[in-house]
Amino acid sequence: MDAAAPKPKENMGEPLPRIDARLKVTGQAHYPADLPTANIAYGALATSSIAKGRVTKLHLDDARAVPGLLDIVTYGDMDKFERPKFGNTGATSIGPLHDRTIFHDGQIIALAVAETFEAAEEAAQLIRADYEEEKPTASFDSPGTKTIPAAGKSPLFKEDVKAGDFEAAYAAAPVKIDQRYSTPTQHHNPIELFSTTAMWEGDRLIVHEPSQNVTGWKVELARQLKIDPARVRIVSPYIGGAFGSKGPMTTRTAIVAVAAKRLGRPVRCVTSRMQAFGTQTYRAETRHRIRIGAGKDGRITAFAHEGWEVTSRPDAYVVGGTSATGRMYDYGSVLTHVSLVQADRNTPGYMRSPPETPYVYALENAMDEMAVALGMDPVEFRRINEPKTEPIGKKPFSSRSLIQCYEQAADAFGWAKRDPKVGAMRDGDWLIGMGCATAIYPTAAAPCAARVRLTVDGGVRVQCSSHEIGTGVRTVAAQMAAERLGAGIDKVEVEMGDSSLPPAPVSGGSISTASVCSAVLKACDAIRTKLFAAATGEGSSLAGSHNEELDVRGGKIVAKSGASAKVEDVFKTMQVGAIEEYAEFAPKSATPQALKKLYAGQPEFHGGESDEESVKYAFGAEFVEVRVNSYTKEIRVPRIVGAFAAGRIMNTRTARSQLMGGMIWGIGQALHEATEVDRRYARYVNRDLQDYLVPVNADIKDLQVILVPEVDHAVNPAGVKGLGELGNVGTAAAVASAVYHATGKRIRDLPIRIEQLIT
Amino acid sequence: MRPFVYEQPTNISAAVALASRFTNSDDAPTRANAQFIAGATNLADYMKLGVAQPDRLVDLNRLAEPALRQIRITDDGIRFGALVRMGEAADNSEVKRRYPVVAGSLKLAASGQIRNMASLAGNVLQRTRCEYFRETSWPCNKRVPGSGCAAMEGFNRQHAVLGASDACIATYHGDFAQALIALDAVVHAEGSRGARKIPFAKLHRRPGDTPHIETDLAADEIITAIEVPAIPWARRSLYLKIRDRESYAFALASAAVALDLDGDKVREARIALGGVATVPWRARTAEQALQDKALDEASAKAAAEAAFADAEPRRDNAFKIELGKRTLVRALLETRDMKV
Ligand SMILES: Cc1cc2nc3c(=O)[nH]c(=O)nc-3n(C[C@H](O)[C@H](O)[C@H](O)COP(=O)(O)OP(=O)(O)OC[C@H]3O[C@@H](n4cnc5c(N)ncnc54)[C@H](O)[C@@H]3O)c2cc1C
Ligand code: SF4
């Protein structure tokens, strides 16, 4: 076993390579825009160059004159359809072609459709608009913002959590800090560009588009086009980078579908990277004020977290990470408040660990500041404040292995060798700094359906509409079925990413492994029950055995006693060639409508802090070494260690890979990533990968992921806590703390760049 | 992307003839109807974005003259053919040995893939990466003369603090050019008015009132070679590049330094600064400040002060002045300490 395939420890599955790995590296996996399609036409978007105002006139003549142009879809052409809705299935309520109001920079003003991609692009570039322009509001501090409380504006953010009397406790605390932090706008830049391919077969619509939510989109697209959802199919077998960007459907999808209908031909529109900044969702910029009060012994008595987040004018997208930060430590008293700041911007949306990344960044940076104020080791400070129950609802944690994570990561990192004095560690001209931070992510699950078929030749077919967003869910679903049905992994086929399959929830909130595996488990167990019933019938070799004593292994049903029966023979007894089961899983706390909502594309999420008996989170600890050049102040991260505990690990290879990717992203959030907004015009400036920086290979040196064993039966039948979003929580705070340790400068505004250290 | 005609001439005079047939003699090369293309890593990119709009591309890659693809090393120095790829020049062992600053400037540029495509002449002529220049919906004097400059009062973190004008503050981002200007390289060009040699320091023009005129070249003039004179002491030279990430990023500040030392004393210093100026930037006042001085932190700092004495900050790029100075100090001390 090598680093990429960690040896499984207790409660961990084998590091099987992804079952679709070969397809992916040989180009056999067709991403939606790669799909060879006969008689296809190409669409290209034209977008606004102002952020606020009205389109008074569109000039289409030059575009129409482009050889090969087929059609232009623009104002008026969408009038007979419904406007989009903002929510889990829709990215925004702005219907860009439904009226001529411009709400943000880069808003769609037309779709040019042509025989070739080049002609479509040329035509789109030639579409010019006359505007009635108004002065737009860019962001925080710009004139014209409107600030409103966030609580209750989103079903995911019902209240500002609080406990005890913060003001009194804070006033009385002998040691305290009161600091402000901020995180910038960040845009999704998956290497797979955003695309829609729409085709009609009679009155049926098929859309090939990278999606994290095929069931939700089917229903929402049908609503917008005013057709029966049964006539819409969304297909998304492979997705090249999702992270929330392909969760809610954007307004492009319906426009392309309408174009395909008008033309009577399939239409494919691939959004340019620049256009994606205005037509897709993004991580909102946030600001934070944190106050912490503690006794001289380091015990926190008061914690307040206030957050401000930018959103669009029409839609109240809430980031809202106080639910997790407010429950992180044994605070005594807690006060939180989140506000939305409306500006002339496109509607933000989900990006990997949407609430936790910015909010935990602020909390953990503050925790380090507090440790410094107390003269205490930052790991020790967290240990002292480790809670028995969470401070808001006083519920226990279903499991919490944070201290084990800290211990194992600190050990592997060599934390004991750190000289706590600021600027004390040095290697020639390079200042060395070390910092650490906590990672947390709520563990949830949602209803999910799956169909599993076992055939007499031992083949297994798993069908579930969930989405292979790169996490390896297809592989772990196969592993679950292989394990329960005693089949070799090479005998298992998994079909996913198609709304005609049994419905799965949106692949967001790190719920997929738990939800999908729980449904697959249920279907497999139903098959086992049927097999066992037949195998234990009168006269058979296993007669009289109870189900609990039986297992399926290597094509045989085996009893504890050692007796066995060939599955093949059991099939004979049953006189069938295949057994197929359709299972629906719903979390324990699901409401009676939960399954109905699943089919309607509005799955309920359960877990996190919403369950009665306990709160459910996965935890981790990350340790970072930075080097800062004493002359030129560039910051490099030669070493990072993260230890994570997340219940049952289905596959140590794919788990490590997720956590590693998260940590790398976290380094990017700390040092590189930011969308620059031209504050005069509320327009994005660095809309490509030249200026929108993310880490490259050379930035990542020694990275270690430790999987800490943890058993948690309370979370879901599979015992799995999601970890897809855990890895990038906390990383930026660990980097900021390490930079402070190296330089004595506490940087509170991300990203941390040379200019903040040099002056 | 607009349609265009694509030509593949097979010798230099045919290429020049094509270019002069389809351009006016006073067209700036960047606005001419016919434009040359080599590795295409810069021009094709800008054509897709609608920033460059030539009707005709004259591809230089079929030109038969072998010298265009050769690196020739003689007692007089090194002569790089214009079509030599960046990667090949960076990996050439004699270039590395004789002119570490040249090899370093190439090695630290772009990515392996781009270095394998991009030509040396194309590299020298690469256009700015100013965000507002790259996106056609913004006013930009360089792209559309007289339309204004969106960067001046906008987001200008990457912009120049040296050599700017009221019309344009865009940075010249190339690395190789800094090594060339420091070493007094000479450019060989051939056009309809004949062949000529241009001192590298005269090749690029500061923006002034005409930021769209970027070089001294005529629209039908082809760079055929770049010559670096023999400078034995250039073995003590290096290129230091400071950027936001470890690789694949343009310089926030860089320094090309070559030193002729007599013990600690500076007989001659060559200094060029990248990432901070509108054109390749020779820092002659800094060179003079070091002349005959012992090179230590104090004299290096004095030279850096001299180099940036005329620097003008804008809203987001003020840090480049301090960073540029520190980059130069570090580069000078590291060059001094080189084992040669
Ligand atoms: C992502 C990215 C990162 C980069 N990073 C860096 C970096 O860190 N440092 C750096 O220095 N560069 C960097 N570059 C720029 C890159 O080095 C240039 O694009 C490349 O060197 C241009 O060479 P080319 O042959 O491809 O030029 P082309 O694109 O073919 O041409 C560029 C220009 O030169 C003209 N031209 C070309 N050859 C001749 C000739 N012989 N005579 C007359 N005119 C000619 C063309 O007409 C055109 O105007 C980067 C580029 C990219 C895309
Ligand atoms: S700085 Fe120069 S290139 Fe950039 S917008 Fe202004 S004029 Fe154009």
Side-chain angles (χ1 to χ4, degrees):
Chain A
M1 305 244 165
D2 56 23
K7 197 166 148 46
K9 301 176 211 161
E10 186 202 343
N11 200 25
M12 295 183 193
E14 289 296 318
L16 291 181
R18 290 156 190 271
I19 56 175
D20 44 17
R22 177 174 292 271
L23 292 181
K24 287 191 169 179
V25 297
T26 55
Q28 302 292 304
H30 278 156
Y31 292 79
D34 302 340
L35 190 77
T37 308
N39 194 31
I40 195 161
Y42 294 86
L45 296 173
T47 56
S48 74
S49 60
I50 66 160
K52 189 179 186 183
R54 265 181 70 75
V55 174
T56 51
K57 189 171 167 43
L58 273 187
H59 302 272
L60 302 176
D61 292 349
D62 291 351
R64 289 227 164 90
V66 170
L69 186 92
L70 297 167
D71 194 7
I72 296 174
V73 181
T74 185
Y75 300 112
D77 297 332
M78 298 298 287
D79 287 356
K80 54 178 188 281
F81 305 107
E82 296 288 340
R83 282 166 187 267
K85 254 190 204 163
F86 169 67
N88 273 345
T89 48
T92 176
S93 64
I94 299 166
L97 299 184
H98 280 86
D99 77 62
R100 290 167 173 259
T101 311
I102 297 293
F103 291 92
H104 61 85
D105 174 34
Q107 183 173 315
I108 297 171
I109 57 174
L111 174 77
V113 185
E115 291 286 354
T116 64
F117 171 68
E118 288 77 10
E121 274 218 309
E122 189 193 355
Q125 282 182 3
L126 289 171
I127 293 175
R128 260 177 301 275
D130 293 340
Y131 300 105
E132 205 174 271
E133 212 175 327
E134 290 172 54
K135 185 130 192 68
T137 301
S139 184
F140 296 126
D141 303 336
S142 303
T145 57
K146 187 174 164 208
T147 303
I148 56 170
K153 295 289 185 308
S154 152
L156 299 176
F157 193 79
K158 299 202 178 75
E159 54 170 358
D160 288 322
V161 297
K162 53 174 171 298
D165 185 349
F166 165 80
E167 296 296 349
Y170 185 70
V175 183
K176 52 186 146 194
I177 60 157
D178 179 352
Q179 287 296 354
R180 287 173 186 268
Y181 306 87
S182 75
T183 66
T185 306
Q186 296 172 343
H187 269 85
H188 287 285
N189 274 289
I191 290 303
E192 180 198 30
L193 293 169
F194 300 98
S195 75
T196 305
T197 303
M199 52 189 86
W200 291 82
E201 286 170 2
D203 63 356
R204 296 185 168 268
L205 170 63
I206 304 174
V207 172
H208 295 265
E209 177 165 344
S211 169
Q212 297 172 250
N213 190 4
V214 290
T215 308
W217 289 22
K218 175 184 77 174
V219 177
E220 171 62 12
L221 186 58
R223 188 193 65 77
Q224 288 182 27
L225 299 177
K226 300 202 214 168
I227 57 178
D228 178 358
R231 280 163 40 201
V232 178
R233 182 174 159 210
I234 311 281
V235 189
S236 175
Y238 295 96
I239 297 136
F243 301 110
S245 66
K246 294 153 184 169
M249 191 174 73
T250 67
T251 55
R252 179 190 63 247
T253 310
I255 296 171
V256 177
V258 167
K261 183 84 186 176
R262 280 159 62 114
L263 211 57
R265 278 172 75 173
V267 175
R268 169 167 297 156
C269 171
V270 179
T271 309
S272 76
R273 190 160 296 283
M274 278 189 170
Q275 289 175 337
F277 279 70
T279 57
Q280 298 291 140
T281 60
Y282 61 96
R283 195 192 287 285
E285 57 261 60
T286 67
R287 285 185 173 176
H288 308 259
R289 178 188 185 197
I290 292 199
R291 285 171 286 170
I292 304 179
K296 292 223 163 70
D297 59 356
R299 296 188 71 93
I300 300 173
T301 52
F303 170 68
H305 193 164
E306 291 158 88
W308 293 263
E309 310 161 355
V310 168
T311 189
S312 66
R313 296 275 182 205
D315 303 321
Y317 175 80
V318 183
V319 180
T322 43
S323 168
T325 58
R327 290 179 169 90
M328 185 84 102
Y329 300 111
D330 196 8
Y331 299 120
S333 60
V334 177
L335 181 76
T336 67
H337 187 66
V338 176
S339 304
L340 299 181
V341 177
Q342 295 173 329
D344 298 307
R345 297 278 296 276
N346 48 329
T347 303
Y350 307 113
M351 184 187 278
R352 201 177 202 175
S353 36
E356 289 73 22
T357 300
Y359 277 79
V360 173
Y361 158 71
L363 165 62
E364 290 297 290
N365 210 349
M367 285 294 283
D368 197 71
E369 297 208 55
M370 198 61 195
V372 171
L374 286 158
M376 193 172 267
D377 177 76
V379 177
E380 188 54 25
F381 181 46
R382 284 161 175 106
R383 188 197 304 276
I384 287 178
N385 290 291
E386 180 68 1
K388 295 237 163 31
T389 56
E390 51 89 14
I392 307 296
K394 308 281 186 276
K395 293 183 222 171
F397 292 83
S398 67
S399 58
R400 177 174 168 121
S401 309
L402 178 61
I403 298 303
Q404 290 89 317
C405 291
Y406 264 107
E407 282 167 355
Q408 293 191 25
D411 203 37
F413 183 80
W415 183 252
K417 293 197 208 96
R418 172 184 186 257
D419 181 340
K421 225 169 83 222
V422 163
M425 301 180 79
R426 219 182 150 112
D427 178 6
D429 285 340
W430 292 85
L431 304 166
I432 298 176
M434 296 181 179
C436 62
T438 302
I440 181 173
Y441 195 81
T443 298
C448 182
R451 189 187 293 122
V452 178
R453 181 199 297 161
L454 175 68
T455 44
V456 62
D457 59 0
V460 178
R461 185 170 206 85
V462 178
Q463 294 179 312
C464 172
S465 75
S466 188
H467 321 84
E468 177 51 273
I469 54 176
T471 52
V473 66
R474 209 184 244 123
T475 303
V476 299
Q479 272 180 283
M480 179 56 93
E483 186 189 306
R484 296 307 285 171
L485 300 178
I489 191 83
D490 54 324
K491 293 286 228 173
V492 187
E493 265 184 79
V494 183
E495 277 183 74
M496 281 189 179
D498 186 331
S499 64
S500 62
L501 299 172
V506 50
S507 291
S510 297
I511 58 158
S512 285
T513 300
S515 312
V516 172
C517 286
S518 294
V520 172
L521 175 71
K522 197 168 168 187
C524 291
D525 284 356
I527 294 176
R528 284 163 65 106
T529 306
K530 280 196 176 159
L531 284 174
F532 294 167
T536 54
E538 237 170 88
S540 69
S541 55
L542 296 171
S545 304
H546 293 291
N547 283 5
E548 311 81 70
E549 300 160 11
L550 298 173
D551 197 8
V552 196
R553 260 181 267 137
K556 284 187 194 150
I557 299 175
V558 203
K560 278 226 178 80
S561 63
S564 70
K566 276 198 183 156
V567 173
E568 206 184 320
D569 294 337
V570 180
F571 268 89
K572 267 188 217 150
T573 322
M574 297 171 75
Q575 296 193 345
V576 295
I579 307 175
E580 185 171 276
E581 284 293 336
Y582 187 98
E584 293 170 326
F585 157 77
K588 254 202 316 232
S589 36
T591 68
Q593 302 84 40
L595 286 165
K596 192 174 160 202
K597 287 197 201 147
L598 169 67
Y599 289 85
Q602 297 290 342
E604 293 177 353
F605 277 39
H606 291 275
E609 48 285 333
S610 69
D611 290 353
E612 280 302 311
E613 75 291 352
S614 62
V615 292
K616 302 175 172 71
Y617 291 99
F619 288 93
E622 296 185 21
F623 287 72
V624 169
E625 176 183 319
V626 302
R627 288 176 178 233
V628 182
N629 188 276
S630 59
Y631 285 102
T632 40
K633 306 292 180 192
E634 70 267 37
I635 308 162
R636 299 293 180 252
V637 182
R639 225 151 56 82
I640 175 165
V641 176
F644 305 91
R648 172 156 178 85
I649 303 298
M650 291 296 299
N651 177 322
T652 56
R653 181 196 300 265
T654 52
R656 169 184 175 274
S657 181
Q658 283 301 301
L659 293 163
M660 172 173 69
M663 289 157 72
I664 293 170
W665 196 341
I667 291 172
Q669 284 165 334
L671 302 177
H672 305 123
E673 233 184 297
T675 307
E676 307 294 349
V677 185
D678 187 308
R679 306 189 67 90
R680 300 165 298 174
Y681 302 101
R683 299 191 63 196
Y684 300 127
V685 179
N686 57 335
R687 300 192 299 163
D688 59 32
L689 286 174
Q690 175 201 301
D691 294 312
Y692 189 93
L693 296 185
V694 297
V696 293
N697 278 327
D699 291 300
I700 307 303
K701 303 268 170 13
D702 183 355
L703 181 150
Q704 192 185 347
V705 174
I706 300 169
L707 298 169
V708 176
E710 183 182 70
V711 178
D712 188 333
H713 293 302
V715 280
N716 49 60
V720 165
K721 292 181 175 177
L723 51 70
E725 296 173 85
L726 183 59
N728 65 325
V729 182
T731 322
V735 173
S737 302
V739 168
Y740 170 78
H741 180 228
T743 64
K745 280 207 171 179
R746 176 70 62 179
I747 308 300
R748 302 184 179 90
D749 304 313
L750 293 181
I752 306 169
R753 287 188 174 154
I754 287 176
E755 51 263 50
Q756 285 148 299
L757 295 179
I758 212 156
T759 40
Chain B
M1 192 170 189
R2 295 166 71 245
F4 56 89
V5 179
Y6 177 61
E7 310 264 13
Q8 293 183 301
T10 54
N11 58 61
I12 294 174
S13 46
V16 169
L18 268 172
S20 55
R21 178 137 57 96
F22 292 102
T23 55
N24 300 322
S25 56
D26 50 355
D27 279 347
T30 54
R31 299 180 56 76
N33 286 335
Q35 296 184 20
F36 299 118
I37 195 150
T41 62
N42 191 234
L43 184 52
D45 202 10
Y46 283 173
M47 286 171 69
K48 286 190 218 161
L49 294 170
V51 170
Q53 308 204 328
D55 297 328
R56 188 169 297 260
L57 282 186
V58 181
D59 185 354
L60 303 178
N61 290 296
R62 295 280 171 94
L63 302 188
E65 288 85 349
L68 288 170
R69 291 178 191 79
Q70 288 167 355
I71 302 176
R72 254 190 253 155
I73 296 155
T74 64
D75 290 347
D76 297 334
I78 294 197
R79 187 176 183 284
F80 295 101
L83 292 179
V84 170
R85 265 43 194 175
M86 290 169 74
E88 189 192 340
D91 289 343
N92 182 289
S93 56
E94 282 306 299
V95 175
K96 284 200 263 191
R97 201 170 65 86
R98 296 177 191 221
Y99 307 98
V101 64
V102 172
S105 71
L106 289 165
K107 192 88 200 171
L108 295 176
S111 67
Q113 292 89 333
I114 291 172
R115 291 196 295 272
N116 286 340
M117 285 295 288
S119 69
L120 294 181
N123 179 282
V124 158
L125 297 176
Q126 67 178 280
R127 307 192 65 195
T128 186
R129 320 298 290 199
C130 168
E131 298 93 336
Y132 298 97
F133 169 75
R134 287 165 59 82
E135 223 257 72
T136 52
S137 63
W138 293 102
C140 168
N141 289 326
K142 196 189 261 306
R143 188 167 22 78
V144 182
S147 61
C149 170
M152 201 69 74
E153 305 297 329
F155 175 68
N156 46 32
R157 176 176 189 257
Q158 60 148 292
H159 288 75
V161 292
L162 292 167
S165 72
D166 291 342
C168 178
I169 56 171
T171 298
Y172 174 82
H173 290 282
D175 294 303
F176 181 44
Q178 310 304 343
L180 295 177
I181 199 169
L183 299 179
D184 283 337
V186 173
V187 171
H188 293 247
E190 225 173 295
S192 56
R193 275 166 287 186
R196 60 173 179 143
K197 289 195 215 174
I198 311 165
F200 195 84
K202 293 249 160 70
L203 180 65
H204 292 83
R205 289 201 195 166
R206 293 199 197 184
D209 297 333
T210 52
H212 61 287
I213 303 174
E214 298 181 353
T215 67
D216 199 44
L217 294 172
D220 64 4
E221 249 181 330
I222 295 179
I223 294 183
T224 54
I226 299 166
E227 215 174 274
V228 183
I231 307 174
W233 48 266
R235 288 187 189 181
R236 184 181 296 286
S237 70
L238 60 71
Y239 189 70
L240 178 66
K241 181 172 177 180
I242 307 301
R243 40 189 166 172
D244 282 314
R245 64 183 172 196
E246 184 74 12
S247 177
Y248 202 22
F250 290 96
L252 291 169
S254 72
V257 169
L259 291 175
D260 182 9
L261 292 183
D262 177 6
D264 262 2
K265 219 177 82 188
V266 178
R267 260 194 233 117
E268 187 172 353
R270 298 288 185 83
I271 299 170
L273 302 172
V276 290
T278 52
V279 286
W281 194 264
R282 181 85 175 258
R284 289 190 191 273
T285 50
E287 292 174 2
Q288 282 149 15
L290 286 170
Q291 185 83 44
D292 300 322
K293 302 258 165 56
L295 178 53
D296 55 21
E297 188 137 359
S299 61
K301 274 189 176 151
E305 289 301 329
F308 284 88
D310 297 330
E312 279 182 81
R314 316 288 318 178
R315 192 190 71 196
D316 303 310
N317 67 0
F319 75 101
K320 279 192 171 184
I321 298 177
E322 182 62 22
L323 178 63
K325 289 180 194 167
R326 288 164 177 248
T327 303
L328 178 53
V329 170
R330 191 176 147 194
L332 285 167
L333 298 179
E334 286 183 14
T335 311
R336 178 195 66 186
D337 297 339
M338 280 173 80
K339 304 264 173 294
V340 292

